[in-house]
């Protein structure tokens, strides 16, 4: 896509993008209404938190999603994908967030965006377009989002690389066919595509709150990576170029999730009566929900702006727009999460009420790739200047 | 540079507007110009802005979409373009906001042919300034609680009562007047008049001093003021309906026909202040808390632009009025929060009034902060706006 075009006024969200979004809304509305979601992921509180069973997800639904081609949306056309506009992907992911879909879609999109920026990523992109799932393994033990930091090292051995160490906070690791890994190799940071079944690679599940995904520490003990799977010798560059897309995708998930939280809480405020009136009559209930709506609207507009900037603007603008979107979406998500529990009263504090499912997905996404404060700190460096 | 989705007429008009604004920048002046319409206080300021509006009108940037028989330029879909272009170059605001954004829409919708021909052209050219007489001591947020009475006498009406917070009243030729014609019904007892002010017997305008010490709005007393029945807008008892037409246009006024209030980018202005202010032994621009606060506002600022952009993409709006109606609250509080942040960053120097030479940015920040309450109160306070948003957009029960 040409970057010399002026960003379109409609963010590039045209008929095709709308059609996909509406299709996603319909499909997920039929297949994953909230009662089904609850049965799927939150039937029994002890399953995940005490017995440490893996978070459940609907693999049949996922097969359909793969057939619909959603995994290939971010894969460029010349690599066998759709090369869909970012605004269209944002629109789809908003729906994924709205239904809190447990799936490797977001992780795969994020990994795809990095592979698309790596010189040697093409063969993997083609596989992803065919339904291979992927995830990023780039984060160190303390959860730093600085792109040059990690706890994995690579050493040369013949034509191969050998990986040792660990990558932390790997999203939906147990659903991924391939891990996209950044490792320090002498003075270089290399990027490798490591199949999940590689010898020496083990996934240790993290105990997490979110019921709609899994997360793991990926341990590497002498994992051999064939030369064709060393997809870039400049991992930081590839990650940097992909970063706007990654932030926007997570922000879109947050926005969709937040809209569900808003609508659900508004509905409760209309239904629940106290003092002979629906509680939505009281301004201490009504006004914060209006504030949440305004925050969500801002985040949503900034998501589409950033999505559009990735396609049509220069990289610096795109990164700035994406950080704004992630900051706004994280904060909007935090605020409506807070009100969604509080305004449901006692029931909102229970396992029985659905709001906690979305609360946790949102909270997870708020932290992922940097919360609002973190994004603003980065923005300040470019907009105000380094200290 | 072309913009997609414009008609040939709109493209031609846009080129014209850009060319005209480039060739006709706002005239240089020695007089002390106010921050916004609401701070207008002096005749010489009024004359400066009257002249500016007149030249914009003659250039076709005001009254753009209004029919030629009412003094307009007969375009379609071009006023928004004119507003955008004026705003883009930071053109001075248009003086006659009440005339342009309230009286004209109301008269076009509810007025007689004679009223349209009589009032619209001179409002467009700013020859006749209008003010709005809705609020009263007992009728603010509860606007239907009007006590000003208009009583039938012969061919006309006799008005008695007391209006408050009347912006532009001291310069106005006419007032859009909401008055009670029956005590039997709260809403259906109201009627709407196009009432003469300047030089009219029985009307007294008294200036009110604002918290900043500046003049701005007024109170207006009606004592046996006689007006002709031809000045009644729509039927007797239909005043509330007309007032609702006015109010749907009022909140949009600041960005709509008003156009071009700020010449300096608000965030750059804050950053500039932070780079020239001290905090804790260093530059305020290096203080992490200050930096975070500025970037927060930068995100809100960009959000306002992108909300406006998204509002024009139907596929990205589940409820067509949600974004447009939310903007009033967002924009006014953005102005307020930015000004307040400027006060914080200025630190000790925020104590200085504009006549003190050491005041940063000529004393802009504390005055802008105080004046920002005009934005969050006038035209329906932000609490009332939140009621409306919660009820009309989110569908929660009415608070009253
Ligand atoms: C600078 C300025 C210019 C103005 N210009 C004009 C003008 O030209 N013409 C004109 O007619 N009027 C004008 N107004 C008046 C303006 O419309 C009123 O001030 C406004 O509607 C509020 O009414 P009030 O001042 O009586 O406050 P009140 O209605 O008494 O409100 C006091 C406080 O109570 C809150 N409140 C009231 N009711 C509710 C409720 N139901 N729920 C929650 N909170 C509530 C309000 O939000 C406010 O915070 C102007 C006001 C200002 C500040």
């Amino acid at each position: 896509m040409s970057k010399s075009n002026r960003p379109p006024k409609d963010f590039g969200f045209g008929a095709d993008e709308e059609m996909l979004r509406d299709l996603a809304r319909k499909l997920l509305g039929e297949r994953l209404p909230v009662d089904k979601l609850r049965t799927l992921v939150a039937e029994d509180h002890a399953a995940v938190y005490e017995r440490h069973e893996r978070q459940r997800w609907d693999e049949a639904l996922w097969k359909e999603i793969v057939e619909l081609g959603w995994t290939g949306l971010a894969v460029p056309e010349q690599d066998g994908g759709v090369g869909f506009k970012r605004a269209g992907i944002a629109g789809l992911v908003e729906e994924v967030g709205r239904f809190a879909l447990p799936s490797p879609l977001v992780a795969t999109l994020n990994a795809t965006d990095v592979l698309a920026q790596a010189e040697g990523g093409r063969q993997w992109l083609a596989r992803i377009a065919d339904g291979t799932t992927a995830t990023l393994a780039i984060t160190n033990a303390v959860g730093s989002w600085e792109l040059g930091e990690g706890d994995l090292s690579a050493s040369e051995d013949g034509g191969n690389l050998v990986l040792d160490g660990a990558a932390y906070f790997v999203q939906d690791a147990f659903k991924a066919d391939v891990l996209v890994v950044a490792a320090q190799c002498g003075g270089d940071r290399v990027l490798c595509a490591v199949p999940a079944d590689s010898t020496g690679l083990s996934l240790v599940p993290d105990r997490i709150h979110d019921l709609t995904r899994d997360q793991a520490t990926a341990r590497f003990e002498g994992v051999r990576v064939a030369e064709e799977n060393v997809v870039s010798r400049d991992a930081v560059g590839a990650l940097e170029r992909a970063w706007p897309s990654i932030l926007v995708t997570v922000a879109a998930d947050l926005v969709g999730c937040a809209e569900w939280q808003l609508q659900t809480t508004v509905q409760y405020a209309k239904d629940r009566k106290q003092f002979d009136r629906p509680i939505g009559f009281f301004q201490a209930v009504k006004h914060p929900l209006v504030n949440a709506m305004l925050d969500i609207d801002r985040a949503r507009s900034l998501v589409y702006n950033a999505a559009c900037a990735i396609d049509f603007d220069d990289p610096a603008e795109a990164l700035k727009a994406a950080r704004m979107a992630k900051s706004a979406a994280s904060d909007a998500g935090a605020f409506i999460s807070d009100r969604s529990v509080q305004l449901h009263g006692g029931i909102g504090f229970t396992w029985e009420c659905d709001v906690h499912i979305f609360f946790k997905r949102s909270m997870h996404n708020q932290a992922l790739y940097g919360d609002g404060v973190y994004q603003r700190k980065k923005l300040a460096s470019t907009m105000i200047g380094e200290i | 540079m072309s913009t997609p989705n414009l008609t040939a007429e709109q493209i031609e008009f846009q080129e014209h507007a850009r060319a005209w604004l480039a060739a006709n920048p706002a005239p240089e002046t020695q007089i002390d110009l106010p921050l916004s319409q609401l701070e207008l206080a002096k005749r010489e300021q009024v004359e400066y802005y009257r002249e500016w509006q007149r030249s914009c009108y003659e250039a076709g940037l005001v009254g753009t979409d209004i029919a030629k028989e009412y003094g307009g330029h007969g375009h379609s879909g071009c006023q928004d373009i004119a507003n955008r272009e004026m705003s883009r170059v930071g053109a001075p605001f248009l003086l006659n906001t009440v005339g342009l954004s309230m009286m004209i829409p109301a008269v076009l919708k509810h007025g007689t042919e004679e009223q349209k021909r009589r009032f619209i052209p001179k409002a467009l050219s700013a020859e006749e300034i209008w003010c709005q007489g809705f609020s009263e001591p007992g009728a603010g947020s509860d606007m239907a609680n009007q006590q000003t009475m208009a009583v039938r006498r012969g061919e006309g009406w006799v008005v008695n009562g007391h209006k408050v917070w009347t912006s532009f009243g001291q310069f106005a030729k006419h007032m859009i007047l909401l008055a009670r014609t029956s005590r039997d019904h709260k809403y259906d007892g109201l009627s709407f008049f196009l009432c003469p002010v300047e030089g009219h017997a029985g009307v007294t305008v008294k200036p009110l001093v604002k918290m900043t010490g500046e003049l701005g709005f007024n109170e207006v007393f009606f004592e046996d003021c006689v007006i002709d029945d031809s000045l009644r807008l729509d039927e007797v008892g239909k005043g509330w309906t007309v007032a609702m037409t006015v109010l749907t246009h009022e909140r949009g006024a600041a960005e709509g026909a008003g156009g071009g209030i700020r010449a300096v980018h608000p965030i750059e202005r804050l950053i500039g202040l932070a780079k020239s202010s001290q905090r804790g032994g260093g530059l305020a621009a290096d203080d992490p808390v200050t930096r975070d606060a500025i970037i927060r506002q930068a995100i809100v600022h960009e959000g306002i632009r992108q909300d406006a952009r998204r509002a024009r993409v139907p596929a990205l709006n589940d409820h067509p009025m949600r974004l447009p109606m939310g903007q009033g609250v967002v924009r006014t509080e953005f102005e307020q929060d930015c000004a307040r942040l400027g006060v914080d960053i200025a630190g000790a120097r925020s104590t200085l009034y504009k006549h003190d030479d050491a005041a940063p940015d000529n004393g802009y920040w504390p005055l802008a902060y105080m004046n920002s309450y005009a934005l969050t109160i006038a035209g329906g306070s932000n609490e009332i706006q939140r009621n409306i948003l919660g009820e009309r957009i989110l569908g929660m029960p009415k608070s009253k």
Side-chain angles (χ1 to χ4, degrees):
Chain A
M1 226 161 295
S2 158
K3 307 251 165 179
S4 58
N5 290 348
R6 281 179 72 210
K9 294 211 156 130
D10 67 355
F11 309 99
F13 197 89
D16 290 349
E17 289 72 21
E18 186 179 358
M19 206 154 70
L20 176 76
R21 191 266 320 268
D22 292 350
L23 182 112
R25 193 176 286 183
K26 186 161 171 286
L27 176 76
L28 297 176
E30 283 164 15
R31 301 293 301 276
L32 201 66
V34 71
D35 52 319
K36 283 209 182 135
L37 176 71
R38 153 168 294 281
T39 316
L40 183 66
V41 303
E43 207 170 25
D44 172 9
H45 69 276
V48 168
Y49 297 145
E50 283 167 29
R51 297 196 300 277
H52 305 305
E53 290 169 14
R54 189 116 335 121
Q55 288 80 355
R56 289 168 57 200
W57 58 302
D58 183 343
E59 295 187 49
L61 175 56
W62 176 249
K63 281 214 181 69
E64 265 177 71
I65 286 173
V66 170
E67 270 156 34
L68 287 168
W70 294 3
T71 52
L73 288 170
V75 174
E77 260 174 302
Q78 66 264 27
D79 297 314
V82 183
F84 213 46
K85 289 212 193 71
R86 292 315 301 198
I89 297 176
L92 171 71
V93 175
E94 248 196 275
E95 298 309 313
V96 165
R98 189 192 305 268
F99 291 94
L101 172 72
S103 87
L105 184 68
V106 168
T108 300
L109 285 170
N110 291 166
T112 304
D113 291 328
V114 175
L115 287 168
Q117 299 298 336
E119 337 49 288
R122 300 193 64 168
Q123 48 166 331
W124 282 104
L125 290 172
R127 287 176 203 152
I128 287 173
D130 283 341
T132 294
T133 55
T135 189
L136 293 173
I138 56 171
T139 307
N140 69 7
V142 293
S144 163
W145 308 117
E146 303 311 305
L147 302 182
E149 293 175 12
D151 295 334
L152 258 176
S153 62
S155 50
E156 311 267 2
D157 180 25
N160 294 334
L161 278 190
V162 178
L163 298 178
D164 283 289
Y168 298 81
F169 306 100
V170 180
Q171 301 303 301
D172 286 305
F174 288 95
K175 302 181 186 78
D177 300 320
V178 60
L179 276 62
V180 176
V181 175
Q184 197 65 35
C185 184
D188 290 342
R189 263 192 102 63
V190 295
L191 195 70
C192 308
V194 183
D197 57 6
S198 301
T199 314
L201 169 61
S202 56
L203 297 178
V204 183
D206 294 346
R207 316 274 186 235
I208 62 171
H209 285 284
D210 188 3
L211 299 162
T212 64
R213 82 185 76 209
D214 69 74
Q215 183 178 287
T217 299
R219 299 204 173 280
F220 296 77
E221 285 168 71
V223 176
R224 302 187 76 81
V225 182
E227 198 178 346
E228 73 264 22
N229 285 340
V230 180
V231 296
S232 173
R233 291 263 159 196
D234 177 19
V236 173
L239 286 166
E240 244 165 29
R241 289 187 294 277
W243 214 243
S245 300
I246 291 171
L247 293 176
V248 170
T249 301
V250 176
D253 193 303
L254 273 162
V255 167
C257 188
E259 186 67 27
W260 182 92
Q261 294 172 296
L262 173 67
Q263 295 302 339
T264 303
T265 311
V266 164
Q267 192 57 49
Y268 190 72
K270 292 183 202 173
D271 296 341
R272 170 70 176 166
K273 286 207 172 98
Q274 285 292 281
F275 304 98
D276 307 318
R277 303 190 146 109
I279 55 169
F281 167 89
F282 302 106
Q283 291 169 340
V285 173
K286 180 183 288 173
H287 288 193
L289 289 172
V290 168
N291 291 341
M293 175 184 93
L294 299 173
D295 288 355
I296 293 167
D297 277 338
R298 169 182 311 131
R300 192 174 185 209
S301 301
L302 288 170
V303 160
Y304 285 96
N305 173 51
C308 180
I310 293 165
D311 286 338
F312 294 95
D313 236 325
D314 61 74
E317 268 310 305
L319 182 59
K320 178 175 154 188
R323 290 203 187 284
M324 286 191 171
K326 179 62 169 59
S327 170
S330 294
D331 289 1
F335 183 64
I336 187 59
S337 292
D338 162 76
R339 287 300 88 188
S340 70
V341 173
Q342 179 68 24
L343 296 179
H344 274 80
I347 189 78
F349 189 58
T350 66
W351 184 263
E352 180 191 333
C353 180
D354 298 324
V355 297
H356 73 90
I357 304 173
F358 291 79
F359 184 102
K360 291 166 189 167
R361 183 178 178 104
S362 177
M363 195 161 72
H364 192 110
N365 279 332
Q366 289 158 39
L368 205 57
Y369 309 123
D371 63 7
V373 177
Y374 174 85
Q375 305 301 340
R376 292 194 293 277
K377 185 176 175 207
K378 293 285 184 183
L379 285 165
S381 303
T382 53
M383 295 176 68
I384 303 176
E386 301 286 350
I387 299 181
Chain B
M1 201 161 50
S2 79
T3 318
N5 314 329
L6 293 186
T7 63
E9 180 189 5
Q10 287 173 318
I11 290 168
E12 192 185 329
F13 178 80
Q14 176 167 290
E15 279 165 14
H16 160 71
R18 286 185 181 166
W20 188 84
L21 286 164
N24 296 275
E28 298 283 334
T29 176
Q30 296 303 311
I31 63 174
D32 186 19
L33 293 178
L35 292 174
S36 81
Q37 285 101 319
L38 293 174
E39 278 79 58
L40 271 176
K42 301 192 188 112
R43 277 277 158 198
E44 57 185 22
Q45 296 171 330
V46 170
E47 292 317 316
Y48 176 86
Y49 288 104
R50 194 197 298 274
E51 192 50 33
W52 173 253
Q53 183 177 326
R54 194 182 56 77
S55 53
C56 290
Y57 167 59
E58 284 168 1
L61 304 187
V62 172
T64 314
D65 292 344
I66 288 175
K68 291 202 168 124
E69 58 264 40
Y70 309 137
H73 300 282
H75 286 287
S76 76
C78 292
Q79 185 67 62
D80 281 351
I81 296 173
N83 296 343
R84 222 164 31 240
E85 294 305 322
M86 287 189 277
S87 171
R88 218 163 53 93
V89 299
F93 58 75
L94 298 173
L95 172 66
N96 201 6
T97 33
V98 176
L100 295 177
S101 311
M102 301 185 203
M103 181 278 284
I104 291 176
V107 166
L108 281 174
K109 185 155 176 199
H110 303 273
T112 61
E113 192 57 29
E114 187 198 332
Q115 287 169 336
K116 292 176 192 171
R117 289 175 192 271
R118 160 69 187 85
F119 293 113
I120 296 176
K122 289 183 175 174
L124 292 174
S125 67
E127 184 183 333
E128 295 180 348
I129 313 276
W130 285 75
C131 66
Q132 175 197 21
F134 285 14
S135 301
E136 298 183 3
S141 301
D142 186 8
M143 202 179 76
N145 192 34
Q146 298 283 320
Q147 300 305 317
T148 294
M149 285 299 294
V151 178
R152 236 318 157 19
R153 197 171 72 193
E155 283 303 288
W157 298 85
V158 181
V159 182
N160 280 283
H162 179 191
K163 294 288 172 182
V164 284
W165 325 131
T166 319
S167 308
F168 317 114
Q170 72 274 46
F171 312 117
K173 185 85 182 156
H174 312 279
M175 169 189 280
I176 47 173
L177 170 68
L178 189 59
R180 184 158 293 291
T181 42
S182 158
R183 290 209 186 278
D184 298 338
H185 313 278
K186 185 170 178 181
Y187 295 91
D188 295 341
L190 299 173
S191 300
F192 204 101
F193 299 92
L194 306 167
C195 178
V197 175
E198 196 179 66
H200 194 73
V203 185
T204 313
V205 180
K206 284 194 187 153
L208 288 167
V209 182
K210 299 188 299 181
M211 67 184 286
T212 54
E214 299 161 312
L215 295 175
F217 45 23
N218 307 272
E219 45 189 342
V220 180
F221 296 91
F222 294 89
E223 287 155 301
D224 294 329
C225 158
V226 178
I227 52 178
D228 198 80
D229 192 47
S230 66
L231 298 176
R232 174 170 47 79
L233 192 56
D234 215 314
E235 291 164 33
V236 176
K238 282 275 189 283
W240 185 253
T241 313
V242 182
M244 286 301 113
T245 302
V246 169
L247 291 189
T248 49
H249 289 87
E250 174 166 9
R251 268 290 171 127
E255 357 110 40
I261 291 172
R262 40 173 73 256
V264 190
H265 190 290
I267 304 305
E268 281 164 19
R269 201 168 191 169
L270 278 171
I271 293 173
L273 178 69
K275 287 188 170 167
S276 60
S277 301
Q278 295 288 313
R279 179 158 287 252
L283 276 185
D286 291 342
D287 168 47
V289 177
T290 303
R291 289 159 73 85
D292 187 73
I294 293 173
I295 300 300
R296 265 176 200 280
Q297 293 312 319
I299 293 170
V300 175
H301 186 248
E302 186 62 32
I304 288 169
R305 288 184 47 203
Q306 300 306 332
D307 278 344
R309 183 174 169 198
R310 182 162 66 86
R312 297 199 196 95
V313 186
L316 294 176
N317 289 268
D318 297 337
H319 185 306
M321 288 314 289
R322 178 166 151 174
L323 275 175
M325 283 182 58
Q327 288 306 292
V329 171
V330 173
R331 285 167 192 243
T332 54
E333 289 174 7
F334 168 71
E335 300 274 334
Q336 190 158 77
D337 294 346
C338 274
R340 174 68 229 190
L341 179 55
V343 169
D344 292 343
I345 295 172
R349 295 187 303 154
S350 70
T351 59
L352 302 172
Y353 188 65
K354 67 177 173 185
H355 295 156
D356 193 298
D357 291 341
D361 297 323
N362 300 319
Y364 169 82
W365 300 101
L367 277 178
Y369 174 50
M370 287 185 252
N371 276 319
S372 73
Y373 288 93
L375 305 173
T376 53
I377 297 170
S381 72
N382 282 11
E383 288 73 26
I384 297 298
Q385 302 299 329
R386 283 187 166 83
N387 287 348
I388 295 173
L389 285 163
E391 291 151 20
R392 291 218 213 127
I393 305 296
L394 294 176
M396 284 183 283
K398 265 179 114 57
S399 301
K400 267 286 162 205

